[in-house]
Amino acid sequence: MTKSVIFKKMDELVARSAFELRADVRVALEKAARASTDARAKNTFKLILENAAIARKDRLAICQDTGLPVVFVEVGKNAKVDAALISAIEDGIAAAYKKHSLRASTVDPLKRGSSFYSGGITHVEFDESVRGIRVSILPKGFGSENKSMLKMFNPTASISDIEDFVVEAVKKAGPESCPPFVIGIGIGGTSDHALLLAKKAFLSDISKTNADKQLATIEKSLFKKLNALNIGPMGYGGGTSVLAVKALKSPTHIAGLPVGVNISCHALRSASVVL
Amino acid sequence: MKELVMPIGDESRKALTVGDEVLFTGTVYTARDQAHKRLCAMIRAGKPLPIDLKKSVIYYCGPTATPYGAAIGSCGPTTSARMDEFTPLLLEKGLRMMIGKGRRSGAVVDAIKKHKAVYCAAPAGCGALLAKKVVRARLVAFPDLGPEAIWQLDVSDFPMVVAADSRGKTIY
């Protein structure tokens, strides 16, 4: 595949993620809007949905925090990947951010200084069930990313201990992280892997029930507990606090039980394309 | 829905109560982390500031790049709490209204009460909608900071909710 073809695909991918709210997220927001009885909460949902419509129509970013692009490259059977392809994906994303007047939000962590456009953080994975090479972009805003949490539980911890930890994390996120949230949870693996799973959980359709029965039960239980916090849209109370809870798991060590929590704002943005 | 039009005198601030939904028309300066750090360093060093803080409004916002033909790009609020350590000094120097999102520290709420200022929350994650409320945008300071530069924005019917009023009552 030539560099220009990859650039074109990344251009479409970036534009879709920045300007078009995901259909499953929009449906969840519409449902939350209908369910809210509080006048201010109702008006807040109206503004959120109006914003999504303006963004799509006028090609304006849904949120000015167009994030640090988190990129998942899933490589399937017989697909060819090398460093040049990954570079082309990253460069294509940075170029698309610039072209579409998104925000240059990347900066040296210590020097800070002038910010620049970047291809973000790329994760390359191999998956035999994928046809070709699937590239997914998750522009991650930092109002919510700043509230990420990790806890290394004892292996004897209960599911209720895990749920308590998630509830604490969401309480801490509070009004700053742009509720109503989607909550990503990663259970197992290593410390870094649990947090990666928590983030990857955002790529799944939030309207669908988890295929893993135990995870589905945890998601359902947490959905109830988190909405009982009454954080509400923008943290004003009086309506839905959490649109969905999505969990992923991975085998871990006999001595541990890492749990990662990642928060997404109501503007959960992502898009995928197959190269 | 209340209407709030510049200039925002003591009386109009006093008339705002926590939880009020407000449509604001007036002029604001955007400033976020690095601009706050610089402004406070300049104040401490006794240097003149690039903006007049007297009765001013600061909007915690770093917009996207400006698309061709638009007044401004997507421009929603950022997390106010990161500016907490700088806010009391700016209030002392004349700042009277802040627009952002989320909770403030006890010290900031005390300073808001002391100076009879007000803190409002704008709808977060609604940068495209808020861009439509900006009539004019002018770069006024720190252009090297890119999206973190200080812009002067003229806004019209900008939707907000009073999050901390001049009596120190907060919505969160």
Side-chain angles (χ1 to χ4, degrees), chain B residues 20-95:
Chain B
D20 283 350
E21 291 180 88
V22 177
L23 291 177
F24 170 58
T25 298
T27 301
V28 304
Y29 292 112
T30 66
R32 43 178 292 156
D33 309 67
Q34 302 302 335
H36 272 75
K37 199 175 166 182
R38 283 192 190 177
L39 287 175
C40 286
M42 289 165 104
I43 292 170
R44 290 197 185 99
K47 287 184 184 158
L49 299 182
I51 58 171
D52 183 9
L53 283 176
K54 282 263 169 309
K55 294 185 177 173
S56 65
V57 181
I58 285 184
Y59 178 30
Y60 305 136
C61 172
T64 62
T66 308
Y68 182 76
I72 196 168
S74 186
C75 58
T78 194
T79 304
S80 309
R82 295 196 316 271
M83 269 50 81
D84 280 355
E85 60 175 298
F86 306 107
T87 301
L89 180 59
L90 299 183
L91 284 166
E92 214 169 279
K93 297 294 170 190
L95 173 67

Side-chain angles (χ1 to χ4, degrees), chain A residues 3-274:
Chain A
K3 196 174 153 184
S4 73
V5 172
I6 293 168
F7 264 55
K8 193 165 171 285
K9 296 244 185 202
M10 291 307 108
D11 189 273
E12 288 163 11
L13 194 69
V14 165
R16 199 144 42 89
S17 69
F19 303 141
E20 299 173 22
L21 189 65
R22 270 166 48 172
D24 55 335
V25 177
R26 197 191 66 238
V27 167
L29 284 165
E30 286 166 350
K31 197 173 153 196
R34 281 194 301 273
S36 60
T37 47
D38 178 85
R40 197 172 51 216
K42 236 184 168 50
N43 190 41
T44 303
F45 278 116
K46 201 180 126 219
L47 293 175
I48 292 174
L49 289 164
E50 214 178 299
N51 180 67
I54 291 170
R56 177 182 290 265
K57 184 173 155 279
D58 290 353
R59 311 311 275 172
L60 276 168
I62 293 168
C63 177
Q64 78 290 340
D65 188 352
T66 49
L68 197 59
V70 179
V71 184
F72 293 93
V73 180
E74 292 163 297
V75 184
K77 256 185 177 169
N78 301 323
K80 277 192 186 147
V81 178
D82 65 0
L85 177 86
I86 301 299
S87 292
I89 288 172
E90 291 175 339
D91 295 348
I93 287 169
Y97 262 64
K98 187 164 196 280
K99 183 187 149 195
H100 293 290
S101 301
L102 304 185
R103 197 173 74 181
S105 307
T106 312
V107 75
D108 180 282
L110 297 177
K111 295 192 190 94
R112 311 307 296 192
S114 296
S115 59
F116 52 91
Y117 291 104
S118 79
I121 311 288
T122 310
H123 302 281
V124 182
E125 294 172 1
F126 296 89
D127 184 343
E128 286 200 53
S129 71
V130 172
R131 280 172 59 99
I133 301 163
R134 184 164 61 210
V135 182
S136 303
I137 182 169
L138 180 77
K140 195 64 176 65
F142 261 52
S144 56
E145 183 66 9
N146 277 337
K147 307 286 180 157
S148 307
M149 298 276 283
L150 170 76
K151 184 159 180 172
M152 303 302 281
F153 281 92
N154 281 335
T156 47
S158 67
I159 293 209
S160 135
D161 293 335
I162 294 175
E163 291 190 1
D164 288 350
F165 169 61
V166 177
V167 170
E168 273 319 298
V170 174
K171 268 194 204 163
K172 273 189 191 148
E176 290 81 67
S177 305
C178 306
F181 305 127
V182 177
I183 308 299
I185 304 168
I187 303 171
T190 48
S191 57
D192 55 329
H193 197 61
L195 283 168
L196 183 62
L197 288 176
K199 192 163 267 109
K200 213 182 164 190
F202 293 139
L203 294 181
S204 52
D205 185 332
I206 66 165
S207 70
K208 292 219 167 88
T209 310
N210 203 312
D212 182 291
K213 279 209 175 104
Q214 195 179 17
L215 290 180
T217 307
I218 294 171
E219 289 174 358
K220 207 173 153 194
S221 161
L222 273 170
F223 182 77
K224 224 168 142 187
K225 284 183 188 173
L226 295 173
N227 274 306
L229 294 176
N230 193 31
I231 295 169
M234 307 296 163
Y236 307 149
T240 303
S241 306
V242 163
L243 299 172
V245 180
K246 303 305 285 179
L248 291 174
K249 67 172 183 175
S250 167
T252 189
H253 191 278
I254 49 171
L257 173 49
V259 177
V261 181
N262 203 207
I263 312 276
S264 171
C265 59
H266 61 78
L268 168 54
R269 293 150 287 169
S270 77
S272 298
V273 68
V274 174

